[in-house]
Amino acid sequence: GVTNVRDIGGYKSSLVTNGRIRQGLYLRGANLNKITENGKNELLRLGVRTEIDLRDEYMCKGPYVDGIDYYAIPIPSRTEEIRFEQFENEYKQIFNLILNADKSPVYLHCSVGADRTGIVTFILLIVCGVSFDDAARDYLFTNFSTCGARYLESEFQHWWEKLDLFEGESKSEKAKSWLVSKGLTELQVEHIREIFVESYKVKSC
């Protein structure tokens, strides 16, 4: 009963030798309005315990699954032009929940799981050392769903280029600076990396 669902785990990370993103911590997808009983059971079987709903406030009517904590953190639709630069409080809340993904795995979604879901997932993958090609591949998987086509030349390419406005020797460090600009501490970002990247150890900040 839910489209466009996928685990972001399995991609290579440049942060450590033979690094890889852990599976089972973060799933992205579309809204759960029509989730079936089988779908609910499957989310629970996969270990999901936190749902983050990014849709417009009037759409957020959870919880949708007993046993999964529900958090509505609306990022308004039709805000593509300012979504990278603004919504500091919202991104801080979102990534504070992601900080607990090792204890309470996350299902994050907007309406169709493409754009608002896309920017959060993009930042998470890049800060964890995932390459442009793999992050782009994850973004374009939406094209296999019923949600309409997405193209790299649209929002995705803009996110990648706008990261260069932030400090850092690499894209992952620039993504770290982006998260710090939204209110996270450097240590919190390091903890996100430790949770999501196999064999990564927190660096002192």
Side-chain angles (χ1 to χ4, degrees), residues 164-182:
D164 286 334
L165 299 173
F166 293 83
E167 293 183 3
E169 294 298 316
S170 64
K171 287 289 187 176
S172 62
E173 289 304 299
K174 292 175 186 293
K176 180 177 180 177
S177 295
W178 185 92
L179 284 169
V180 170
S181 79
K182 302 303 182 187

Side-chain angles (χ1 to χ4, degrees), residues 81 115 132 136 139-140 143 149-162:
E81 295 300 317
D115 303 316
F132 174 90
Y139 178 75
L140 292 175
N143 292 340
R150 293 299 186 277
Y151 304 95
L152 294 186
E153 295 78 12
S154 58
E155 283 194 275
F156 185 92
Q157 189 69 41
H158 294 156
W159 302 334
W160 180 258
E161 293 170 357
K162 286 178 179 180

Side-chain angles (χ1 to χ4, degrees), residues 104-119:
S104 189
V106 169
Y107 180 77
L108 182 136
H109 69 88
C110 48
S111 292
V112 300
D115 303 316
R116 286 167 285 187
T117 299
I119 189 171

Side-chain angles (χ1 to χ4, degrees), residues 12-199:
K12 292 180 180 179
S13 169
S14 64
L15 299 186
V16 293
T17 302
N18 298 321
R20 196 168 293 275
I21 305 300
R22 288 190 176 95
Q23 294 180 304
L25 299 178
Y26 178 105
L27 280 73
R28 58 176 292 179
N31 72 80
L32 302 183
N33 285 13
K34 296 182 180 179
I35 189 169
T36 64
E37 288 303 313
N38 284 341
K40 294 175 183 179
N41 291 335
E42 184 65 6
L43 278 185
L44 291 169
R45 186 192 70 79
L46 290 168
V48 172
R49 295 296 179 269
T50 299
E51 176 188 351
I52 304 174
D53 190 342
L54 306 182
R55 292 177 294 172
D56 297 81
E57 187 173 0
Y58 75 93
M59 296 180 175
C60 296
K61 298 180 180 179
Y64 295 94
V65 183
D66 290 340
I68 296 180
D69 294 331
Y70 176 79
Y71 298 89
I73 308 177
I75 295 177
S77 55
R78 295 183 294 278
T79 56
E80 291 84 357
E81 295 300 317
I82 59 173
R83 201 170 284 160
F84 190 89
E85 293 81 8
Q86 298 189 23
F87 303 106
E88 289 86 354
N89 186 54
E90 288 81 358
Y91 289 123
K92 182 178 180 180
Q93 292 179 66
I94 291 163
F95 280 94
N96 270 307
L97 290 170
I98 291 171
L99 259 168
N100 294 310
D102 54 336
K103 303 178 186 68
S104 189
V106 169
Y107 180 77
L108 182 136
H109 69 88
C110 48
S111 292
V112 300
D115 303 316
R116 286 167 285 187
T117 299
I119 189 171
V120 173
T121 306
F122 167 80
I123 291 293
L124 178 58
L125 289 174
I126 299 303
V127 83
C128 288
V130 172
S131 69
F132 174 90
D133 287 345
D134 282 342
R137 185 174 292 109
D138 178 78
Y139 178 75
L140 292 175
F141 274 140
T142 289
N143 292 340
F144 291 101
S145 73
T146 60
C147 302
R150 293 299 186 277
Y151 304 95
L152 294 186
E153 295 78 12
S154 58
E155 283 194 275
F156 185 92
Q157 189 69 41
H158 294 156
W159 302 334
W160 180 258
E161 293 170 357
K162 286 178 179 180
L163 278 181
D164 286 334
L165 299 173
F166 293 83
E167 293 183 3
E169 294 298 316
S170 64
K171 287 289 187 176
S172 62
E173 289 304 299
K174 292 175 186 293
K176 180 177 180 177
S177 295
W178 185 92
L179 284 169
V180 170
S181 79
K182 302 303 182 187
L184 272 73
T185 67
E186 291 188 30
L187 187 58
Q188 284 178 315
V189 178
E190 285 296 307
H191 278 301
I192 288 173
R193 287 172 167 173
E194 187 174 48
I195 289 166
F196 279 89
V197 181
E198 295 175 359
S199 301

